[in-house]
Amino acid sequence: MANELRQLVDTANAPIFGIDIDGNVNEWNDKTAEITGYSRDEAFDKPLVSTFIVKNLRQSVQDVLDNALKGNETSNYELEFRTKSHEIRYLLVNATTRRDVENNIVGVVGVAQDVTETAKRDRAVAAMARELRQLVDNANAPIFGIDIHGEVNEWNAKTAEITGYSREEAFTKPLVSTFIVPKLRH
């Protein structure tokens, strides 16, 4: 049974890694090795946080691991692993307390999902949205919009300059009855 469990962990299609109570790697399956580029031998006995976690997340990841070492597990925590080739892999991790046969806490096991492509796509979409927002806000032409009820939901700086109404004043007001002269409302 133990050999079957070892094989299951080693060949799982999800990254599985673990630490002992001192924070050193003591579990590193094939998928974790594939994703990070570090072999099991290269990872074993290395401090997980300082070796493999990006600098700006080290304290929060350490906090998650410290909590798990106290029996307080964490689900769906996103962390950034630094690969051997200095790339970043985004992993969604469940940090589970590891116990021995006498129920003593002996470490933490992380079972993860590689969400790198989704994270990159989300960041690209967010960047594009920021750029579009900046383009609309700073355009040298009036740009305004309405929702399905005809109420203002877009009002850029040029529109505010021309009309004298700020974005805050215009938002949620009915465009036609508020801003269009009566003879042009038909």
Side-chain angles (χ1 to χ4, degrees):
M1 181 68 154
N3 286 338
E4 290 173 358
L5 288 175
R6 167 58 35 211
Q7 184 178 9
L8 178 67
V9 168
D10 286 345
T11 61
N13 198 26
I16 300 173
F17 52 91
I19 60 165
D20 60 23
I21 57 173
D22 296 317
N24 296 318
V25 174
N26 64 0
E27 185 66 62
W28 197 263
N29 77 343
D30 296 346
K31 193 63 164 182
T32 306
E34 176 188 323
I35 287 171
T36 66
Y38 290 100
S39 71
R40 181 177 285 115
D41 289 339
E42 290 173 303
F44 258 54
D45 296 321
K46 301 280 188 316
L48 178 75
V49 173
S50 63
T51 307
F52 303 106
I53 305 302
V54 298
K55 194 171 191 162
N56 63 322
L57 291 181
R58 286 181 184 163
Q59 187 57 56
S60 63
V61 171
Q62 188 65 58
D63 292 344
V64 167
L65 296 174
D66 288 346
N67 283 332
L69 287 168
K70 295 173 187 167
N72 302 316
E73 300 174 346
T74 300
S75 297
N76 297 320
Y77 179 79
E78 187 174 308
L79 60 80
E80 299 173 20
F81 249 75
R82 186 179 55 242
T83 69
K84 192 173 187 176
S85 61
H86 304 289
E87 295 176 271
I88 301 299
R89 300 302 293 193
Y90 299 91
L91 301 180
L92 194 60
V93 179
N94 290 340
T96 305
T97 304
R98 191 174 194 175
R99 298 176 184 272
D100 65 15
V101 293
E102 295 172 358
N103 207 31
N104 298 310
I105 294 173
V106 295
V108 178
V109 172
V111 178
Q113 179 180 356
D114 185 359
V115 294
T116 301
E117 295 310 312
T118 301
K120 285 180 180 177
R121 210 172 18 256
D122 290 350
R123 283 166 176 73
V125 168
M128 188 182 307
R130 283 190 303 276
E131 288 175 23
L132 290 173
R133 167 59 39 212
Q134 189 174 20
L135 178 67
V136 167
D137 288 346
N138 298 318
N140 196 25
I143 299 175
F144 56 90
I146 58 171
D147 62 18
I148 60 172
H149 305 290
E151 295 178 349
V152 174
N153 64 2
E154 184 61 62
W155 197 263
N156 76 346
K158 191 57 138 178
T159 306
E161 178 187 321
I162 291 170
T163 65
Y165 290 95
S166 70
R167 168 181 280 204
E168 293 74 24
E169 292 171 311
F171 258 47
T172 71
K173 300 253 184 346
L175 177 73
V176 174
S177 64
T178 306
F179 301 106
I180 307 299
V181 294
K183 70 179 185 174
L184 298 177
R185 291 182 187 169
H186 306 294

